[in-house]
Amino acid sequence: MAKLGKRLKSAYEGVDSNKFYSLEDAVKLLKSGAKAKFDETIEVSMNLGVDPRHADQMVRGVVELPNGTGKTVRVAVFAKADKAEEARKAGADIVGAEDLAEQIQGGMMDFDRCIATPDMMGVVGRLGKVLGPRNLMPNPKLGTVTANVTEAIRAAKAGQVQFRVEKAGIIHAGIGKASFDEVKLVENIKAFIDAINKAKPAGAKGTYVKKVSLSSTMGVGVKLDIASVNA
């Protein structure tokens, strides 16, 4: 407990909880405060003026970060015959069809992204209750139901981030590692926030982006001056 108190005290040093920081200053603060023994993830959290219980206020999509996430992404692909071979050559970690569905139903979840060719959705559809709650269900709108498995795998491995607003209007994602240089983190954050802005739903009324904050895995939250991000 003493170590935790010391770490938190150190993390709070130099951070004014009442201040809204420019994006560049916020990133500097987070990098200087990320002192864990592992490479901490830098996370962005956004409070949106939407109510996702209404279909016309749902915010969902994907964004390919210019500098990746720094995370190793394991990809599972549902495909048969030539498409299965294409997926293996493209670097998929797990490839299968009915056999893969049986493994997943049996509790195997050793992957971070799930891709399917259109002809496999009859099989994949039966896994909705397993994959859906984990945001792993292939979806044509997210580019994960596609005949172009090579491109889908490349995008997933390169740092494509999926986002979906939660019930309270919160959206969050990991957008890099503390070891990234400041410029790369700033570029990634801007790309993510730009994607959220472009995904503004037709039913959103009033202020769309209410708050934005950044944090590291073991660090404190830093509030962003939204104007500095959009500049």
Side-chain angles (χ1 to χ4, degrees), residues 1-11 218:
M1 289 299 290
K3 286 186 177 180
L4 179 63
K6 186 177 180 181
R7 181 190 61 76
L8 279 176
K9 183 179 179 181
S10 175
M218 304 295 286

Side-chain angles (χ1 to χ4, degrees), residues 23-24 190 225-231:
L23 177 55
E24 289 75 11
K190 284 187 173 182
D225 173 9
I226 298 174
S228 76
V229 180
N230 294 328

Side-chain angles (χ1 to χ4, degrees), residues 46-54 57-59 164-172:
M46 301 178 68
N47 187 336
L48 304 180
V50 298
D51 183 350
R53 292 176 298 179
H54 300 287
Q57 294 188 47
M58 171 55 69
V59 180
R164 180 174 181 166
V165 69
E166 297 173 359
K167 289 181 181 179
I170 304 294
I171 228 167
H172 58 84

